[in-house]
């Protein structure tokens, strides 16, 4: 007795042939859904997190946060550095979001994966010619000297016969007369938007501009889920900045730049090869 699936499929049912078992080229064959990159588990989040982690440990933005936290309030330095890195991450993710609208997803997948392989080769070349005894402490002292020179220049520029600026009110003891939601926002702004916050924000943003981690974020956002890449990048930046603020000098003295570079190159190479494999056996099926 034939099995009737529906009124529209009575003819097929009467023939006793399952439509899912039809030959792929036949007109009755069931359509094969295209692979959806967003359906893949949280691999894009973890890849972006690890890429940022190995790129930022001992990097200039890491050392800037460490130096500033030694001289100023840690919470202010952390908030400023994370804000700058979050702004840069949002900008990079937006740029990566625009790329697939101009270039096909298959091309962006291939370009991003190839770029990771190029980064890996360059990092391995840098590690090859690097002194094994080199530590991040030397970079730490260089950044410290750079910030000292910048603050000295700003101090000399603010002199020049001009009266000294008025002393800012204490951030730790807000006026008892201030109350309400409006004064709360003002207190928060007075606490965060200080010269230290602005200086840390600007230094971090400029140091991150054009950095390898920014380019990697753009590449990942153009080839994978942009929201997961953004979240993973923010988590990586927050972790690195937290380490820098809490004990950046100790971390800089302990880590080896060459070792970190080799580990980063290995991760970039693995992620690049995985991306090329997914491009060859995944997105290429859509062509």
């Amino acid at each position: 007795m034939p099995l009737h699936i529906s009124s529209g499929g009575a003819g097929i049912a009467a023939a006793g042939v399952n439509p899912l078992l039809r030959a792929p080229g036949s007109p009755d064959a069931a359509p094969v859904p295209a692979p959806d990159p967003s359906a893949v588990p949280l691999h894009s989040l973890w890849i972006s997190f690890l890429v940022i982690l190995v790129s930022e440990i001992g990097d200039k933005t890491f050392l800037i946060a460490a130096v500033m936290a030694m001289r100023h309030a840690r919470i202010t330095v952390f908030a400023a550095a994370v804000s700058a890195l979050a702004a840069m991450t949002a900008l990079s993710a937006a740029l990566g979001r625009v790329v697939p609208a101009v270039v096909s997803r298959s091309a962006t997948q291939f370009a991003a994966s190839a770029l990771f392989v190029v980064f890996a080769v360059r990092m391995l070349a840098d590690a090859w010619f690097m002194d094994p005894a080199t530590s991040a402490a030397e970079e730490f002292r260089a950044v410290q000297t750079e910030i000292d020179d910048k603050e000295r220049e700003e101090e000399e520029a603010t002199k020049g016969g001009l009266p000294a600026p008025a002393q800012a009110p204490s951030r730790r003891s807000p006026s008892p007369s201030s109350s309400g939601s409006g004064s709360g926002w003002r207190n928060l702004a007075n606490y965060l938007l200080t010269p230290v916050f602005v200086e840390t924000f600007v230094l971090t943003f400029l140091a991150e501009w054009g950095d390898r981690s920014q380019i990697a974020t753009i590449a990942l956002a153009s080839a994978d889920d942009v929201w997961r890449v953004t979240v993973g990048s923010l988590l990586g930046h927050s972790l690195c900045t937290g380490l820098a603020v809490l004990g950046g000098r100790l971390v800089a003295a302990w880590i080896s730049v060459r070792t970190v570079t080799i580990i980063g190159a290995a991760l970039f190479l693995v992620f690049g090869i995985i991306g090329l494999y997914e491009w060859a056996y995944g997105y290429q099926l859509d062509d």
Side-chain angles (χ1 to χ4, degrees), residues 158-238:
T158 54
K159 291 180 180 179
L162 296 178
Q167 182 69 27
S170 175
R171 294 174 295 169
R172 300 183 181 275
S173 56
S175 173
S177 61
S178 61
S179 61
S181 60
S183 61
W185 284 110
R186 284 195 297 271
N187 291 335
L188 179 62
N190 290 334
Y191 184 80
L192 293 178
L193 299 180
T194 59
V196 174
F197 184 96
V198 174
E199 181 182 3
T200 306
F201 184 96
V202 172
L203 287 174
T204 304
F205 190 88
L206 294 179
E208 185 66 13
W209 184 265
D211 192 55
R212 180 170 52 241
S213 58
Q214 185 202 12
I215 300 174
T217 302
I218 296 174
L220 285 171
S222 65
D224 290 307
D225 183 77
V226 64
W227 298 110
R228 292 171 182 172
V229 170
T230 302
V231 172
S233 300
L234 289 176
L235 290 175
H237 281 304
S238 300

